[in-house]
Amino acid sequence: MMSITCHNLEFARRGLEFLAYGSSSNASLERISVKDCAKGMLRTVNGGYKGRKLWCCRRDIGPCRVFSTNTPEVLVNARPPPVLDLNHESRSPASLTNLFEVVAEDLQTLNKNLQSIVGAENPVLMSAAEQIFGAGGKRTRPALVFLVSRATAEIIGFRELTKEHRRLAEIIEMIHTASLIHDDVLDESDMRRGKETVHQLYGTRVAVLAGDFMFAQSSWYLANLENLEVIKLISQVIKDFASGEIKQASSLFDCDVQLDEYLLKSYYKTASLIAASTKGAAIFSGVDSEISEQMYQYGKNFGLSFQVVDDILDFTQSAEDLGKPSASDLAKGNLTAPVIFALEKETKLRDIIESEFCESGSLEKAVDIIESCGGIDKARELAKSKAELALENLQCLPLSSFRFSLEEMVKNNLERIR
């Protein structure tokens, strides 16, 4: 493999327009746009985008390497993923809007298509769906579909997404939305992201029907993709949703619940859909099974890290920031990672939980115990460990702006709990 090691790539986040780079082969300096570097843009040493020697400048790594595009080793990153340090001074997290900029047009098209798909048959259902589509959602799951689709399509030389890629993103968002509507009914939640829930506005009957309709509609579009592997993959997700709800309902206020059980429930309720999204995207790109499996593992590990972070925020954020009451999961008997870790150290917590917070102030006392005995800190470490695995899973992808966004999504998630 032909490679040139580059050194001393440094630039400030703001205020710099260009940078120079040098290499051990005494190559002449070239002026490079910081904007391109921040996006992880692949370019030739002599300029242009179609040459045989490519380098990639990334703001989160120092050295880089120049590869010959004749070798499949272009798929191998020059360095292992950085170790995530939860104790260092917090960096300024990139907003999801910025991370999704490279697929912004794809997401705009998705939004238009969702409106026509859901609202074509029943305006009442569209009105219900709009309530949750417009409730501050970031379209994270379809964005993941588009990012993985484009990152993996580059491996085999595709420049544009297929209609299957786009339809998959729409299916994933419909399934996610349907699950949220049903979750709010089961949890009797009146608020989501600071807005009234569908069942609060339209009643339980309409909410259940709206969720059912979107599950059914997504299944119909899924069948029309005519890819048996993807059909099985996404169908399993819908089964997992039900399994997760059953596991949660059957273990409320159960202080003997184990971490493995919590992670399995979190996989069913959150990570399964994300993993299916990323693997399905890779399958439609036509990459080999090893890469599509790594994309599945990326989605699984990122999804688990995301859920653990959400469960931490249930204790650390205000009701205003959460869009629902703080410690609401604990109050309902849903024991998450911070609680499970705290129960290992503090026996008094068990008595309070098993009493189902019948005494005034007992919920607040339980929260204080969870914080003081390190339950939240241990949960942070769990989120970090899953995030590191997710970053490792991305090593099979070529360096690009799409892989950069996939990596930053993992890091951005952890920034929520610093």
Side-chain angles (χ1 to χ4, degrees), residues 149-383:
S149 296
R150 292 194 176 276
T152 51
E154 286 190 343
I155 295 174
I156 56 175
F158 285 176
R159 293 295 178 189
E160 293 300 325
L161 300 185
T162 65
K163 67 179 185 299
E164 288 81 9
H165 282 130
R166 298 190 183 280
R167 183 62 81 195
L168 176 64
E170 294 159 6
I171 290 168
I172 293 300
E173 186 65 3
M174 281 193 288
I175 291 174
H176 175 58
T177 302
S179 72
L180 293 183
I181 294 173
H182 281 179
D183 276 355
D184 289 338
V185 172
L186 290 171
D187 297 340
E188 299 180 347
S189 299
D190 297 333
M191 302 290 289
R192 177 172 289 277
R193 303 186 187 118
K195 293 188 177 183
E196 288 184 294
T197 54
V198 172
H199 77 89
Q200 181 71 10
L201 285 173
Y202 302 99
T204 298
R205 189 167 183 270
V206 170
V208 170
L209 289 173
D212 287 349
F213 172 80
M214 275 187 275
F215 274 130
Q217 189 82 325
S218 63
S219 297
W220 188 84
Y221 282 113
L222 177 63
N224 280 275
L225 289 176
E226 298 183 346
N227 183 301
L228 186 58
E229 185 177 8
V230 175
I231 290 171
K232 288 181 177 180
L233 188 67
I234 306 300
S235 297
Q236 181 65 42
V237 170
I238 299 175
K239 177 178 176 288
D240 287 345
F241 281 152
S243 297
E245 289 296 341
I246 292 169
K247 285 188 73 67
Q248 179 169 301
S250 62
S251 60
L252 296 178
F253 299 102
D254 180 5
C255 293
D256 293 319
V257 66
Q258 299 296 305
L259 185 64
D260 286 347
E261 296 175 89
Y262 161 78
L263 288 173
L264 180 60
K265 182 199 70 176
S266 297
Y267 170 77
Y268 284 153
K269 294 194 62 169
T270 302
S272 176
L273 178 61
I274 297 176
S277 304
T278 49
K279 182 175 182 178
I283 290 171
F284 283 132
S285 292
V287 295
D288 64 48
S289 59
E290 291 183 2
I291 293 176
S292 62
E293 178 59 25
Q294 285 298 309
M295 293 302 95
Y296 179 85
Q297 292 299 325
Y298 165 79
K300 175 183 175 181
N301 288 314
F302 174 53
L304 289 174
S305 180
F306 187 91
Q307 184 59 57
V308 175
V309 168
D310 262 6
D311 292 338
I312 292 170
L313 293 177
D314 194 46
F315 291 97
T316 61
Q317 278 194 333
S318 66
E320 183 179 356
D321 291 333
L322 287 170
K324 61 179 182 178
S326 298
S328 59
D329 280 336
L330 179 59
K332 295 171 183 175
N334 179 25
L335 308 190
T336 57
V339 185
I340 293 169
F341 285 124
L343 281 166
E344 295 173 356
K345 292 188 175 182
E346 183 53 72
T347 56
K348 291 180 181 178
L349 182 59
R350 173 185 285 267
D351 295 333
I352 298 172
I353 292 173
E354 289 181 343
S355 74
E356 300 187 12
F357 312 109
C358 60
E359 295 182 10
S360 176
S362 58
L363 178 61
E364 291 76 12
K365 185 177 180 180
V367 171
D368 289 341
I369 293 173
I370 292 164
E371 292 176 348
S372 63
C373 71
I376 291 173
D377 291 336
K378 289 273 288 183
R380 281 195 180 98
E381 289 300 319
L382 176 61

Side-chain angles (χ1 to χ4, degrees), residues 31 67 128 146 159 161 245 286 411:
R31 307 297 280 183
F67 300 99
F146 292 135
R159 293 295 178 189
L161 300 185
E245 289 296 341
K411 299 171 188 177

